[in-house]
């Protein structure tokens, strides 16, 4: 099984649902397309942080700038960890 390094995306939260994080302005490392909208799957194992502090999924709000460490689950990206690094100050 190909266990790739987790990919790290940076983006702005557009919407959070129970099992998906919708990003806008997502920066995909290997993509030449620049930024785009992207959906990353969430599950019970996804961990959430604000800086170094553990938070709940409910604390994630639209316009938070986040780093999402994800791995591929089939054709989808599955988030292992979501970290808020900024936003909401505008």
């Amino acid at each position: 099984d190909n266990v790739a390094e987790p990919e790290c995306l940076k983006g702005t939260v557009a919407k959070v649902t129970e099992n998906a994080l919708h990003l806008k302005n997502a920066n995909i490392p290997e993509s030449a397309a620049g930024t785009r909208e992207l959906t990353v799957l969430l599950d019970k194992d996804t961990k959430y942080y604000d800086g170094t502090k553990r938070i709940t999924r409910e604390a994630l709000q639209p316009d938070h700038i986040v780093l999402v460490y994800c791995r591929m689950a089939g054709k989808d990206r599955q988030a292992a960890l979501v970290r808020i690094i900024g936003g909401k100050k505008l």
Side-chain angles (χ1 to χ4, degrees), residues 14-69:
K15 190 173 80 170
V16 185
T17 61
E18 196 173 330
N19 40 27
L21 172 60
H22 302 271
L23 296 175
K24 55 190 179 187
N25 307 324
N27 222 320
I28 299 150
E30 74 285 358
S31 161
T35 61
R36 61 191 178 111
E37 297 192 359
L38 194 66
T39 299
V40 182
L41 301 180
L42 303 173
D43 66 13
K44 63 182 183 354
D45 297 324
T46 305
K47 293 179 176 50
Y48 306 92
Y49 288 88
D50 184 347
T52 56
K53 191 172 69 105
R54 279 294 292 269
I55 57 170
T56 61
R57 186 188 69 229
E58 291 71 34
L60 277 184
Q61 298 292 323
D63 297 325
H64 273 137
I65 298 166
V66 293
L67 289 177
V68 183
Y69 294 88

Side-chain angles (χ1 to χ4, degrees), residues 4-7 43 45 69-73 76-81:
E5 276 297 291
E7 179 179 45
D43 66 13
D45 297 324
Y69 294 88
C70 50
R71 54 190 186 280
M72 297 306 288
D76 297 309
R77 286 180 166 86
Q78 174 79 48
L81 190 152

